[in-house]
């Protein structure tokens, strides 16, 4: 059917295109193309970044608020807590799978997770908080690849 026959579809398509454009700008990929399905949930979050803010600002703020203490600790001490946290969630929050992924002893994983808990707070493994942390980890990885 012609676009004029379904103006609601045109408006929805336009809104989706604007969200994709905003997500591309946040990812510093202006001039490239993408569809909404290319971004998934991440695209919705990225597109919600404040208008007029420099590209990546909202993402950086979220990552810093969520896992910045761990990133800062790693940078100061040369540790691999962020990598451990990433492996922990990738392994379904299993210390045994985490140790296998990192090729370290399970006691090392336990010590690192204890340190992470002190840095992030006692509720870091709760469902809502772990979702935020996992999203921040993904954004941190993405930001590293696009060079924020």
């Amino acid at each position: 059917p012609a676009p004029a026959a379904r103006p609601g579809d045109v408006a929805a398509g336009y809104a989706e295109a604007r969200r994709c454009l905003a997500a591309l700008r946040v990812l510093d990929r202006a001039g490239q193309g993408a569809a909404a399905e290319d971004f998934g949930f991440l695209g919705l979050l990225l597109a919600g970044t404040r208008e007029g803010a420099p590209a990546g600002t909202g993402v950086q703020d979220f990552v810093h608020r969520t896992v910045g203490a761990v990133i800062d600790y790693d940078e100061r001490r040369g540790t691999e807590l962020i990598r451990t946290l990433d492996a922990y969630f990738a392994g379904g929050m299993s210390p045994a799978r985490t140790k296998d992924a990192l090729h370290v002893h399970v006691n090392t994983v336990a010590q690192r997770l204890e340190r992470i808990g002190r840095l992030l707070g006692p509720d870091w493994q709760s469902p809502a908080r772990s979702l935020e942390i996992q999203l921040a980890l993904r954004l941190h990885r993405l930001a590293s690849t696009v060079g924020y």
Side-chain angles (χ1 to χ4, degrees):
R6 298 176 70 183
D9 289 351
V10 174
Y14 178 75
E16 180 177 298
R18 288 185 52 94
R19 285 192 302 274
C20 287
L21 178 61
L24 286 167
R25 285 183 179 145
V26 167
L27 290 170
D28 200 23
R29 291 176 46 196
Q32 296 180 15
E37 57 267 10
D38 296 331
F39 295 109
F41 178 76
L42 180 61
L44 296 175
L45 173 75
L46 295 175
T49 303
R50 299 183 311 262
E51 283 274 330
T57 303
V59 172
Q60 290 171 334
D61 289 347
F62 175 77
V63 170
H64 183 73
R65 278 192 322 272
T66 309
V67 293
V70 178
I71 294 168
D72 293 346
Y73 187 91
D74 277 353
E75 287 174 359
R76 281 192 317 271
R77 309 230 177 174
T79 55
E80 295 189 331
L81 297 182
I82 279 290
R83 186 167 166 244
T84 301
L85 195 53
D86 213 11
Y88 180 68
F89 285 120
M93 299 174 75
S94 163
R97 287 194 290 271
T98 304
K99 76 150 175 89
D100 291 342
L102 298 175
H103 306 290
V104 297
H105 194 277
V106 72
N107 289 344
T108 301
V109 171
Q111 291 167 355
R112 289 178 183 180
L113 293 175
E114 184 179 322
R115 172 63 65 186
I116 289 166
R118 285 198 295 269
L119 292 168
L120 296 180
D123 69 334
W124 75 276
Q125 294 182 72
S126 71
R129 187 78 193 285
S130 67
L131 176 62
E132 284 184 0
I133 292 167
Q134 290 174 70
L135 183 56
L137 289 169
R138 178 172 276 187
L139 290 169
H140 179 64
R141 278 194 312 275
L142 249 175
S144 297
T145 62
V146 295
Y148 284 142

